[in-house]
Amino acid sequence: MLLRRAFFHWLLPSAFLLPLWMVVGWAIFGQSGWALLWVLLIAVPSLFIGQLVLTLLTRSRPSVRAERAVSWWDVLGFAVWHGLTIAVACFIDGAFPWLLTGAIVAALGLFWLQLWQLWNEARGSGARIRETITWSSMSRSDPASSYESEVFIVEERRPQD
């Protein structure tokens, strides 16, 4: 439970820290100006928006809000995606395209995992349209309709004249 709660609290800061790591990784590993353009124009915005969307999808589930902890599937998915994202920012020669492809596939898989979990929780919560009964469809022989309801008025303060 501690690890699941730690991931719950990590989700929002990671939307800011992972894009920052992309810029820091570019500076540490001494990449070219073209790599900086890729980092600033493509990697940082897509990572920021993607992480925010996934965080909102994760936190919108009732079980996550109630427990303030993500599921084990979330832990696995975010650990793989964040690990690949950190590795992409290391700009390893020869492995960069494979790591980037893996990070993109992991992000898309995590997106569908979040939708699937949200759908499964919403399906069981009774969020579907329910059939309602109107007063005209109730029979007169119903015991609930055989007695008259009484109305009580409780005054908090009496009006002072």
Side-chain angles (χ1 to χ4, degrees):
M1 183 65 119
L2 185 63
L3 181 63
R4 291 172 44 213
R5 285 186 187 212
F7 265 88
F8 174 80
H9 292 294
W10 161 249
L11 290 180
L12 193 58
S14 68
F16 298 96
L17 294 175
L18 288 175
L20 179 64
W21 169 245
M22 294 296 287
V23 176
V24 169
W26 171 84
I28 289 175
F29 297 105
Q31 294 299 309
S32 68
W34 291 111
L36 178 63
L37 279 177
W38 175 81
V39 166
L40 293 178
L41 297 179
I42 297 172
V44 168
S46 62
L47 186 57
F48 178 73
I49 292 170
Q51 181 63 40
L52 281 182
V53 167
L54 289 171
T55 298
L56 291 174
L57 280 173
T58 303
R59 288 184 172 218
S60 66
R61 295 198 322 260
S63 65
V64 173
R65 286 194 316 265
E67 296 176 7
R68 298 190 58 79
V70 297
S71 71
W72 286 110
W73 284 110
D74 296 331
V75 171
L76 176 66
F78 280 110
V80 167
W81 184 43
H82 290 172
L84 286 169
T85 302
I86 291 168
V88 165
C90 292
F91 295 96
I92 301 168
D93 289 333
F96 179 79
W98 295 104
L99 291 171
L100 181 61
T101 303
I104 292 169
V105 168
L108 292 174
L110 191 55
F111 177 75
W112 287 108
L113 175 68
Q114 297 308 317
L115 288 179
W116 175 71
Q117 289 184 71
L118 183 63
W119 175 260
N120 282 340
E121 286 189 28
R123 184 176 49 176
S125 69
R128 289 174 274 163
I129 299 173
R130 295 188 178 133
E131 183 179 329
T132 58
I133 300 173
T134 61
W135 287 106
S136 62
S137 66
M138 292 182 65
S139 65
R140 295 286 180 207
S141 63
D142 187 24
S145 64
S146 63
Y147 62 91
E148 293 184 25
S149 63
E150 298 179 19
V151 177
F152 295 99
I153 298 174
V154 178
E155 296 178 4
E156 291 184 20
R157 275 189 248 160
R158 290 185 177 243
Q160 296 178 356
D161 295 348

